Amino acid sequence: MTKPFEKPIYVTRPFLPPLAEFCQGLEEIWETAWLTNYGPLVQRFAEELRRFFETDNVCLFNNGTLALQIALQGMGISGEVITTPYTFVATTHVLYWNKIRPIFVDIEPDYYSLDPEKVEAAITPWTSAILAVHVYGYPCKLNRLADIARKHNLKLIYDAAHAFGVNVGGRSIAHFGDLSMFSFHATKLYHSIEGGLLTFKESGLKGVFDYLKNFGFNGETEVVMPGTNAKMNEIQALMGMQVLKHLPEIVSKREKITQLYRERLKRIPGIRLTPSLPADVRYNHGYMPIEVDSVEFGMSRDDLYEKLKDWNVFARRYFYPLICDYACYKNVSVADPLAVARQVTERILTLPIYDALPLDDVEAICDVIESLQCSRAKSFMDIGPGAETPSA
Ligand SMILES: Cc1ncc(COP(=O)(O)O)c(C=O)c1O
């Protein structure tokens, strides 16, 4: 592989249903002219999700961030919440908007989710909840976190933004913890353009979430709490339902891509892959993270990230920097040295993965990475598209 791709290959590309199918759905919306405020499509979508997750306790939102923000508000979480610095910034923003103090603790090195030992050590009398993230859709240490939450009487909340379609032991990952939030953002393997979903254990929360996402209205003339506007609209619901029909095919195409990447990349010195998942996990193949060991690979993660752009390949550094290093959270004191998170954030790179990515392109991306590694003996900055691919 010496030539750059003709068109840019981005880290993701949303699945789109056949246009004719979508237009047919739009006709229904045009007929009713019902665009938002609990329209028929949102109601139908909620019903489909109740079946999908095998629970009545689902609540749809216009995005995942507001869903999680409202979840914390509705559950009355306050004081301190133990969470991870290795995530998308929205996980911490929702704490900020609820005036909750984030307590950042370290992650475990295999799948990058909260380290339960560090969580337990960080509990204080002010701790009210654990907010853990299934990073890349890899399940957290579910049993350990549940034990800690039970022992210390804490709520266990999962940011499952990446984990739609993930099952553990034959059950959806939504059934673990007190509540989970799924993001239906277009960058996710499953999406409704924008959108978010809460699934939860306590049925009584449904009414509260419904108020909070609709200004606190109870009927036409009564406002029972200071809510906001976080309702999903009909076009989002239409997209969500249509993409849902294709979920098995989306996941199976992504699975083939993961397999090929892993097969090719495991042989490259300095590239670390996550360990194989336990047999009882059905993964959604949402992301393709690798870690770059700059000494062994002969090039830093950042140089590889930049170099790939020369071939028109746009990987992403999810998640870099750590949340606690963003300017707006610099004043949050962090007791944990975050040794693992600090190392991972400097080494992580997520490679392009989406259902429509041809396997030949995956091979070509791996060829580029391999050739860059092989060429480390030379000055790697001299290697670029058009240069001869060094032999192994
Ligand atoms: C881990 C995580 N949490 C929260 C969010 C926010 O979700 P949304 O974009 O749907 O608001 C995202 C991504 O977008 C995310 O990756």
Side-chain angles (χ1 to χ4, degrees):
M1 164 74 189
T2 50
K3 278 207 222 119
F5 288 98
E6 273 173 27
K7 288 194 184 148
I9 308 259
Y10 295 112
V11 72
T12 191
R13 183 183 162 94
F15 171 87
L16 288 171
L19 190 54
E21 230 173 81
F22 196 69
C23 290
Q24 215 176 343
L26 285 177
E27 277 174 23
E28 185 182 337
I29 298 177
W30 256 243
E31 260 166 45
T32 58
W34 195 339
L35 299 181
T36 187
N37 289 1
Y38 299 104
L41 271 69
V42 164
Q43 291 179 37
R44 218 185 298 153
F45 187 25
E47 181 51 38
E48 288 190 9
L49 290 168
R50 281 194 281 274
R51 273 203 300 274
F52 182 85
F53 283 106
E54 298 177 324
T55 171
D56 283 343
N57 297 337
V58 305
C59 192
L60 278 166
F61 293 82
N62 58 352
N63 62 59
T65 306
L66 282 171
L68 196 52
Q69 191 175 313
I70 284 175
L72 297 172
Q73 189 183 347
M75 292 170 88
I77 307 293
S78 62
E80 295 180 353
V81 166
I82 299 171
T83 191
T84 169
Y86 187 76
T87 177
F88 183 63
V89 73
T91 315
T92 305
H93 284 345
V94 298
L95 297 172
Y96 172 88
W97 283 98
N98 278 286
K99 300 190 168 47
I100 294 165
R101 181 163 173 230
I103 304 297
F104 294 115
V105 304
D106 210 356
I107 56 173
E108 46 82 19
D110 287 343
Y111 301 109
Y112 315 125
S113 67
L114 275 181
D115 178 339
E117 308 312 317
K118 299 290 173 62
V119 170
E120 192 151 27
I123 295 171
T124 72
W126 295 277
T127 311
S128 59
I130 301 165
L131 174 54
V133 182
H134 302 303
V135 178
Y136 311 127
Y138 299 140
C140 289
K141 305 278 181 210
L142 302 166
N143 294 336
R144 277 294 291 129
L145 290 176
D147 287 346
I148 294 167
R150 202 175 308 113
K151 182 168 153 201
H152 296 274
N153 197 22
L154 304 175
K155 293 287 182 206
L156 178 54
I157 299 171
Y158 284 115
D159 178 336
H162 301 173
F164 191 86
V166 174
N167 276 31
V168 182
R171 296 162 78 206
S172 164
I173 200 156
H175 292 279
F176 296 84
D178 293 290
L179 175 140
S180 299
M181 179 281 284
F182 296 87
S183 165
F184 297 169
H185 188 267
T187 50
K188 307 291 184 279
L189 88 153
Y190 171 73
H191 74 96
S192 62
I193 310 173
E194 294 254 14
L197 179 80
L198 296 179
T199 59
F200 40 92
K201 282 232 165 77
E202 205 189 310
S203 319
L205 288 171
K206 172 83 170 86
V208 181
F209 296 153
D210 281 341
Y211 287 139
L212 286 172
K213 72 177 178 186
N214 189 31
F215 312 99
F217 270 116
N218 181 30
E220 282 181 30
T221 55
E222 198 187 357
V223 173
V224 292
M225 55 183 80
T228 184
N229 181 3
K231 300 183 299 293
M232 175 171 271
N233 68 49
E234 291 290 278
I235 299 196
Q236 289 175 296
L238 175 63
M239 182 64 88
M241 281 190 284
Q242 295 208 347
V243 179
L244 192 56
K245 282 196 275 180
H246 295 272
L247 186 68
E249 121 206 12
I250 294 171
V251 173
S252 114
K253 285 185 179 160
R254 284 172 168 264
E255 184 175 8
K256 293 196 176 80
I257 292 170
T258 308
Q259 280 166 353
L260 180 55
Y261 266 132
R262 289 181 71 89
E263 192 48 41
R264 288 287 315 267
L265 297 175
K266 72 178 185 201
R267 301 189 233 127
I268 304 182
I271 299 293
R272 179 203 172 249
L273 304 173
T274 52
S276 300
L277 283 160
D280 66 342
V281 174
R282 200 184 72 201
Y283 183 47
N284 63 8
H285 301 275
Y287 293 83
M288 182 60 220
I290 61 170
E291 278 181 56
V292 183
D293 176 328
S294 56
V295 175
E296 226 187 310
F297 187 73
M299 179 180 287
S300 71
R301 181 277 314 271
D302 286 345
D303 286 337
L304 174 59
Y305 163 75
E306 291 299 335
K307 214 71 191 131
L308 285 171
K309 291 183 190 169
D310 293 345
W311 273 272
N312 235 348
V313 176
F314 295 83
R316 291 295 299 264
R317 290 167 292 185
Y318 295 143
F319 293 99
Y320 167 82
L322 297 183
I323 307 280
C324 49
D325 291 338
Y326 282 118
C328 65
Y329 292 117
K330 279 265 191 210
N331 60 348
V332 174
S333 65
V334 185
D336 191 316
L338 307 175
V340 177
R342 292 217 170 277
Q343 172 162 317
V344 174
T345 195
E346 292 298 332
R347 294 163 52 129
I348 202 79
L349 194 63
T350 48
L351 299 176
I353 184 165
Y354 45 87
D355 63 286
L357 182 63
L359 291 176
D360 284 349
D361 288 3
V362 176
E363 291 273 14
I365 293 168
C366 294
D367 286 344
V368 173
I369 296 173
E370 197 165 39
S371 70
L372 289 167
Q373 195 280 327
C374 290
S375 65
R376 75 194 196 281
K378 297 168 73 175
S379 166
F380 58 74
M381 297 315 284
D382 293 335
I383 304 294
E388 247 174 68
T389 306
S391 55

